[in-house]
Amino acid sequence: MADIPDITREAQDRAASPPLESRVEVSESTLGKTKRLSRTGRSRKQVSSSSQRRLVVVSNRVPVPKDGASKAGGLTVALEGALKQSGGLWFGWSGDTVESPSDQAKVVQAGNITFAVLDLSQRDYDEYYAGFANRALWPICHYRLDLVQIERQELDGYFRVNRAFAASLAPLLQPEDVIWVHDYHFIPLAAELRRLGFKNRIGFFLHIPWPPSDVASALPAYQQLLQGFGAYDLVGFHTPQDAENFQRCLVRENIGSSIGTGEHEIDGHKVRIGAFPVGIDTETFVRAAANAERNALVRRTKASLGDRDLIIGVDRLDYSKGLKQRIEAFSCFIKSNPDFRNRVTYIQITPKSRSDVPEYQRMQREIAEQAGWTNGSLGEVDWTPVRYVNRTVGHAALAGLYRMSQIGLVTPLRDGMNLVAKEFVAAQQPDDPGVLILSRFAGAAHELDGAILVNPYDTEACAGAIARALRMPLEERRERWDSMMARLRTNSVEAWCQHFLSSLGNVSSEGLEAHATTNPENGRYPFSEGAPA
Ligand code: ADQ
């Protein structure tokens, strides 16, 4: 497995000793007092120094606390950890569609986090979310040109909603706020805020992959989207490979000019580009897993397995997760290793998502049918080889299910990071850990060097990996787990957040120069160490 990306080591150092000017703390003014401020002016009450900058997070879905229900989105899980540390404002879509949405956000205060959300009209939802974001950006960023749906109207809707969200966010912003925009739904948001006169530091993090230019250029309004990145001060990706793909797209399209390693100037504005691999709340997961024996679902599942081994897969139901190929690989494993018949069970826990997008409806049907066929052809009266479940499971139970599994099967066809891979590792019992089988096309493959890396399209190789994992001696399992766990302990979600925000805080001419001098221009991308071959 390849080397550790340099930026992660840097993250560890920074997390241990955050620079003063980049610390983000809760300022006194909260959104509860939603007074309108001049766009660039400073309210007299806002005495805000660089060490007291309020953090504003923008993401499509905002988990406004309601009933403590468990959440299935990786973005949510990662960001909650981040905002709890610093407090501030979390702005985005409410998740609701209404007939006549207000342009003023609904505000809820919870602890040190203020949530502000907007509803969408059905048309906005169809065009911006179900349309352009999930039928053009998502498939293209996951290298699925065969699934792309391009509609002018949806493209217009995407830019229209971004403009409207920027306009509604504007009155809630303060001049010193540090704004952190998340994911593909909001690429043009910074450009819209700049157009309104905001000069705040604005960072962007993409939670999904960024493909090479031949694939990315299938995006409609490709140049306009790329140009929009120029309004950010910092653009982050999960892996060096994604960051490199992105910068090459800029170069190839003649958008601005490269001004050093990982830096670009677009319309006179400097943008820093880098890899920031997201982590998980490792210690919480470790504790949850250790206590999970008390969990009723975990206990019932254990009893239902008897002495069979367990293989676990946990994914949102999405074509990027490679579920069809995974079930095929499991089936191939059983057929080629008959001694494992009735000795191993594969549980796939998969909540449905985006069910109103036609490509997802089709896939949901296909996967369910495939699980049914597999059980029909392989199963016994007393053995269901594949337990396929469309449910969300609470994190405590999930941690326990990971822990009792001999294998974590994480084989996406393409994934920005994949938090499940990390959660599985964190949940293992140190003296008897399970084995992670991980797709080389998941961002996590850049970090988790103790996993068995597989090509998810190669059914027989994946089946072979399952057999190898089930027969792996304890010593090798421990060795592999130790090295992955060390990484998870240092690159937690806190370290990720700290690293991104400190990098955003350091974006200035001076910071950029300093950065350039520490990365000798040797023709390689600065963070390109660590990409799997
Ligand atoms: P996702 O595509 O949603 O995230 P992932 O990173 O695996 O994928 O995160 C899924 C999260 O949802 C995990 O925390 C997992 O525990 C949880 N989850 C999944 N199924 C569940 C279930 N049945 N019950 C309960 N919880 C469940 C996007 C990108 C990823 C990237 C993340 C974070 O697609 O590549 O890693 O954002 O940046």
Side-chain angles (χ1 to χ4, degrees), residues 70-75 77-78 138 142 183 205-209 238 278 280 285 314-316 318 320-321 349-351 354 389 391-395 398 402 414-421 423 443 496:
S70 55
K71 311 160 193 89
L75 176 62
V77 175
W138 179 272
H142 288 87
D183 232 357
F205 186 80
L206 187 71
H207 288 259
I208 63 176
H238 280 305
V278 71
I280 58 165
F285 232 93
V314 176
D315 312 75
R316 268 187 318 101
D318 194 291
S320 65
K321 304 294 183 185
I349 305 176
T350 298
R354 303 177 195 166
V389 185
R391 288 235 191 292
T392 296
V393 175
H395 265 164
L398 212 48
Y402 289 143
R414 194 64 62 172
D415 219 329
M417 172 56 69
N418 196 297
L419 298 178
V420 169
E423 292 166 357
W496 170 72

